[in-house]
Amino acid sequence: MPTPVTVLGLGLMGTALASALLKAGHPATVWNRTAAKTGPLVARGAAPAGTVRDAITASPLVIVCLTTNDGVRSLLAPEAEALAGRTLVNLTNGTPAQARELADWAAARGITYIDGGIMAIPQMIATPAAYILYSGANETAFETHRPTLEALAASKWVGKDPGAAALYDLSLLTGMYGMVMGVVQAYALIGSAGVPAREFAPLLREWVGAMTDGLVPGMAEALDSGQHLTDVSSLGINQAALPNFLTAYAQAGISDELFRPLQGLLDRSVAAGHAADGLSRLTTLLKKEQGQG
Ligand code: FVH
């Protein structure tokens, strides 16, 4: 008998999660603050709950996916008694500290807490491209529910620290945002000359792919070995080239707000004597000293 699951929060992601559970044959109870959003899922066999408490008590496994962890806290604080003895999987985006705080709150009330980070957009849920990061003190509970959670996406357990899933999630999303912002700026620059984005897209895709393929493992090697000297592209040469970018943006009438901060970091790296090092050195320079704001 497939495990019954409750899903709290039926935004774009919560709806995709509940749909995947229904598709995999799990009895699903759904609740959303704006009740109308339950309609399409109910039409596909989900049970609508009138209250959060009714939703929670319908299943041993409760998944929550709201906008923020503040919302999760205010929604679940009055329902601790109903949650006691159940497993709560929180797939809301948040910080490691928020996850640890929720885990402590849950542990003190007999609730098994698992934090998660979804590495997918809603359309990728229940496809082989999606995975979800999980962490929490009770790995056994995770293993018990893993077969059910695999209906959503592949599962990656990242450790017993409840904050680990959020740490991995935010780190991966940081890489994504950096890349996305580069793409945003590239389209702005090429577009300023009237080149259609569609025409430029294949070049950009190939270039970004080739660069990240080499850079990601190469930088990891340098960071873990502490060997930052490079025969690829030195900080000195990058420092010398960056003004060309900033000037070209200004001359094209586009903002340099995404890229200007790089100048300060490159200047600092060269001033500190790292001109011959590769870009991996910048990672070490991002670390703030204790007490530095
Ligand atoms: N969508 C995505 O691509 C990303 C992929 C990676 C993971 N994120 C995170 O998932 C969380 C939910 O995102 P979402 O895309 O489902 O967001 P919305 O469609 O805007 O739905 C938000 C739901 O949260 C409910 N809600 C918000 N605040 C409260 C509250 N205080 N009490 C109860 N429910 C609340 C909201 O309810 P309603 O507005 O419909 O009444 C929606 O159900 C998020 O952490 C992403 O970062 C998604």
Side-chain angles (χ1 to χ4, degrees):
M1 165 74 182
T3 306
V5 187
T6 287
V7 180
L8 305 174
L10 303 174
L12 295 173
M13 187 50 85
T15 297
L17 300 174
S19 299
L21 291 163
L22 287 169
K23 199 168 159 201
H26 291 274
T29 299
V30 292
W31 177 91
N32 194 60
R33 180 177 61 181
T34 308
K37 286 192 191 165
T38 58
L41 290 163
V42 172
R44 298 181 47 203
T51 65
V52 182
R53 188 156 308 179
D54 287 349
I56 291 169
T57 53
S59 314
L61 176 62
V62 177
I63 295 174
V64 61
C65 187
L66 308 185
T67 309
T68 65
N69 277 331
D70 283 348
V72 171
R73 230 176 278 116
S74 59
L75 185 74
L76 298 184
E79 310 299 346
E81 224 174 278
L83 279 166
R86 300 175 204 280
T87 297
L88 173 64
V89 176
N90 181 14
L91 299 181
T92 304
N93 179 272
T95 67
Q98 287 171 353
R100 290 179 196 121
E101 198 186 295
L102 279 161
D104 287 346
W105 171 84
R109 288 156 183 83
I111 303 161
T112 301
Y113 182 84
I114 297 172
D115 204 77
I118 304 175
M119 304 316 300
I121 56 172
Q123 291 71 11
M124 286 162 66
I125 292 300
T127 73
Y131 70 90
I132 302 180
L133 301 153
Y134 295 100
S135 63
N138 191 337
E139 189 174 353
T140 309
F142 167 72
E143 287 302 338
T144 301
H145 291 296
R146 186 195 271 267
T148 302
L149 296 170
E150 297 269 347
L152 310 174
S155 304
K156 286 194 205 292
W157 176 257
V158 288
K160 285 179 180 293
D161 169 8
L167 176 69
Y168 276 73
D169 180 47
L170 294 185
S171 301
L172 288 166
L173 292 177
T174 296
M176 179 198 78
Y177 278 123
M179 185 196 71
V180 170
M181 292 308 127
V183 170
V184 164
Q185 189 78 14
Y187 277 130
L189 182 59
I190 201 82
S192 70
V195 178
R198 260 193 230 106
E199 182 188 312
F200 186 60
L203 282 176
L204 184 58
R205 183 177 183 178
E206 189 186 10
W207 175 247
V208 171
M211 287 299 98
T212 48
D213 273 359
L215 179 132
V216 171
M219 201 178 271
E221 199 54 47
L223 285 165
D224 288 350
S225 66
Q227 299 301 318
H228 295 285
L229 274 180
T230 186
D231 58 3
V232 177
S233 180
S234 70
L235 289 172
I237 205 70
N238 280 280
Q239 185 208 24
L242 194 70
N244 296 333
F245 292 80
L246 303 180
T247 303
Y249 302 153
Q251 290 170 347
I254 62 173
S255 168
D256 66 4
E257 65 200 304
L258 290 171
F259 278 70
R260 179 157 292 284
L262 286 184
Q263 187 73 67
L265 184 56
L266 285 168
D267 290 349
R268 182 154 70 88
S269 72
V270 171
H274 302 305
D277 285 353
L279 294 166
S280 57
R281 173 63 72 184
L282 298 179
T283 297
T284 70
L285 297 179
L286 289 177
K287 193 166 176 191
K288 292 189 171 174
E289 300 303 325
Q290 289 266 305
Q292 203 180 328

